[in-house]
Amino acid sequence: MGIFSSIKGAIFGKDEDEKKSPAAAAGAAAGAAAAVAAAANAKPAGISEVDVAAKLDAMDGADKLNWRTSIVDLMKLIGVDPSFGNRKELAGELGDTDYSGTAEENIWLHKKTMQELAKNGGTVPAEFLD
């Protein structure tokens, strides 16, 4: 699991498949073939939107961290290690393969993270989408 997946999971919650044990997943696979045929006729489930700012503001310590502009504070707030290595990995996942940790790159990384959260079903303030 990548750093962005960890961020997304901390804010959106874990997917049901990630919560299942391997044994439960194996048992569920047995009924999967029958479910595929039924799913083909069903409406696709919509992504329920998550109010990212509200979720983050409600977390313990949000009032003491500048998560709205700082990628380091955002990562601290959700319990993801904000080390240079993790920020470099996140930058690579989001398209910057030459991340060196400058202030400008961290601003880009924060904004890009918020944009990706929006693309994945999150509602984020407009200031993050410019």
Side-chain angles (χ1 to χ4, degrees), residues 6 22-23 33 35 42 44 52 54 61 87 89 102 109 116 125 127:
S6 296
V52 173
R87 286 182 284 124
E89 183 178 335
T102 67
L109 187 56
E116 286 299 310
E127 66 200 61

Side-chain angles (χ1 to χ4, degrees), residues 18-126:
E18 291 177 27
K19 291 180 184 177
K20 291 180 183 177
S21 69
V36 169
N41 296 326
K43 281 185 170 179
I47 297 174
S48 62
E49 296 219 351
V50 173
D51 186 337
V52 173
K55 290 265 296 212
L56 293 169
D57 280 336
M59 292 182 172
D60 288 338
D63 58 331
K64 296 179 175 101
L65 294 169
N66 189 15
W67 70 263
R68 289 180 179 268
T69 58
S70 169
I71 189 66
V72 171
D73 282 356
L74 172 64
M75 293 171 83
K76 283 181 185 178
L77 179 62
I78 61 175
V80 174
D81 176 15
S83 67
F84 172 78
N86 279 349
R87 286 182 284 124
K88 183 174 178 84
E89 183 178 335
L90 176 61
E93 291 175 23
L94 300 180
D96 181 355
T97 58
D98 194 31
Y99 178 83
S100 64
T102 67
E104 292 80 15
E105 289 172 322
N106 284 333
I107 291 167
W108 174 87
L109 187 56
H110 182 275
K111 184 171 266 193
K112 187 68 174 176
T113 299
M114 289 297 183
Q115 291 170 351
E116 286 299 310
L117 288 169
K119 286 180 186 176
N120 283 275
T123 301
V124 301

